Amino acid sequence: MSDAPAPAIHDLGGASRYRCSPVERDEAPPDDFGKRVDAIRQILAQKGFMTVDELRRGIESIPEAEYFALSYYERWLTSISKLMVEKGVIPPEELR
Amino acid sequence: MSAPARPESIALLEKFVAALAARGLVTEQEIAERQASTDRASPEIGARMVARAWRDDEYRRLLLSNGAAAAEQMGVSMTGAPPLGVLEDRPGLHHLVVCTLCSCYPRAVLGYPPHWYKSFEYRARAVREPRAVLAEWGTVLPPATQIRVVDSTADYRWMVLPMRPAGTEGWSEDQLAAIVTRDVLVGVALPRLPVTAAAE
């Protein structure tokens, strides 16, 4: 093996821990929670409040335990709500 | 299964929307409209693009050189969407699309990515043991067929242009589009003829 640093948590390509674990074929569309988060994310992007790279940075900086515990759209909500606080768009106390 | 959102996440979403709405940044109507337009995008769009490319060489060339322009020709707005690349399967070469880092997907022409596309297992395994992943979809390729796995990114999205199956000569665009499923456009499956057609 090389001296390369361990991959970041989101960098799952080839990760051995999932080897031979079947892909769960869940065909359910996103639920209302997911669709709502998704719509808000698109609106904020369209209005210039955030970019897809900022969304990624927010997701990819979620601590490992939380990253694997949260569902997909919960990770998105974590990212976009933190981003809007960081940018001073909304005050943190309103999310507590 | 994709787990339902936890109560604290549902509460956070409510507070987040309220904070944005209080500043006039989003309205319920905007959310509903955006959700409706997102719901309208579906793999049927990608399927029609493939079916047209199978019948129309000029469109095929456009599809392969500029996927976004080809999508626009089908009436899809690609404004703000990343470029769309189209991967052409050939005899001995099959393409499979994944987003190892998260879930990047050509949503404008395929709709929401399915849960499995976003799963840790698919992201990890598609690049390591693609044949084993394909076998879970019942897709078994000859050992001599090369599988090229392509990673979709935030900046570039991919879909597959599969080979047109034998036995579809003279088919209409609608007939062809009907055998191009979402799974085919991602590369986990191959177009399959309906049993009745195959038997003829």
Side-chain angles (χ1 to χ4, degrees), chain B residues 18-96:
Chain B
L20 294 170
R23 287 159 185 82
L25 301 178
V26 301
T27 65
E28 282 301 329
Q29 191 186 340
E30 282 177 313
I31 295 172
E33 285 170 4
R34 178 58 62 158
Q35 203 170 303
S37 70
T38 306
D39 280 338
R40 276 194 295 277
S42 88
E44 287 170 28
I45 301 169
R48 279 197 296 127
M49 291 164 69
V50 166
R52 186 169 164 192
W54 280 344
R55 286 165 48 90
D56 176 346
D57 282 341
E58 196 179 328
Y59 185 76
R60 181 193 192 91
R61 281 190 289 275
L62 175 67
L63 184 66
L64 293 171
S65 63
N66 186 345
E72 297 266 10
Q73 271 209 8
M74 304 301 266
V76 178
S77 169
M78 297 294 283
T79 309
L84 172 65
V86 179
L87 304 157
E88 184 182 30
D89 285 352
R90 296 194 300 267
L93 176 65
H94 178 81
H95 290 92
L96 177 67

Side-chain angles (χ1 to χ4, degrees), chain A residues 10-16 18-27 30 33 35-44 46-47 49 52-53 56 67-68 70-77 80-81 84 89-91 94-96, chain B residues 1-6 9-10 12-13 15-17 19-20 23-26 28 30-31 34-35 38-39 100-103 107 112 114-116 118-125 127-129 133 136-137 154-155 157 182-183:
Chain A
H10 63 281
D11 191 0
L12 287 178
S16 315
Y18 296 104
R19 194 135 197 220
C20 303
S21 308
V23 178
E24 196 169 15
R25 299 270 292 281
D26 179 358
E27 291 293 340
F33 174 88
K35 288 188 177 186
R36 201 164 158 79
V37 171
D38 187 85
I40 294 163
R41 193 267 312 166
Q42 292 184 55
I43 293 165
L44 292 174
Q46 187 187 32
K47 294 188 176 181
F49 287 101
V52 68
D53 293 309
R56 283 187 50 205
Y67 184 89
F68 290 104
L70 295 176
S71 70
Y72 179 76
Y73 286 107
E74 285 178 316
R75 293 196 291 272
W76 278 33
L77 176 63
I80 63 178
S81 59
M84 291 307 110
V89 175
I90 54 175
E94 291 189 26
L95 297 184
R96 286 185 198 127
Chain B
M1 280 295 291
S2 95
R6 303 168 310 166
S9 296
I10 292 168
L12 173 61
L13 177 57
K15 289 176 194 165
F16 184 49
V17 173
L20 294 170
R23 287 159 185 82
L25 301 178
V26 301
E28 282 301 329
E30 282 177 313
I31 295 172
R34 178 58 62 158
Q35 203 170 303
T38 306
D39 280 338
T100 60
L101 297 181
C102 185
S103 56
R107 293 174 51 143
Y112 290 108
H115 177 72
W116 56 259
K118 307 180 288 193
S119 71
F120 301 135
E121 290 81 6
Y122 185 75
R123 288 163 55 188
R125 294 176 56 221
V127 293
R128 181 151 185 176
E129 43 179 358
V133 171
E136 290 177 26
W137 268 261
D155 303 312
R157 310 294 164 94
R182 177 204 63 206
D183 290 352

Side-chain angles (χ1 to χ4, degrees), chain B residues 167-185:
Chain B
T168 59
E169 297 75 19
W171 281 28
S172 70
E173 199 169 296
D174 284 351
Q175 283 175 299
L176 291 170
I179 59 169
V180 183
T181 63
R182 177 204 63 206
D183 290 352
V184 167
L185 294 161

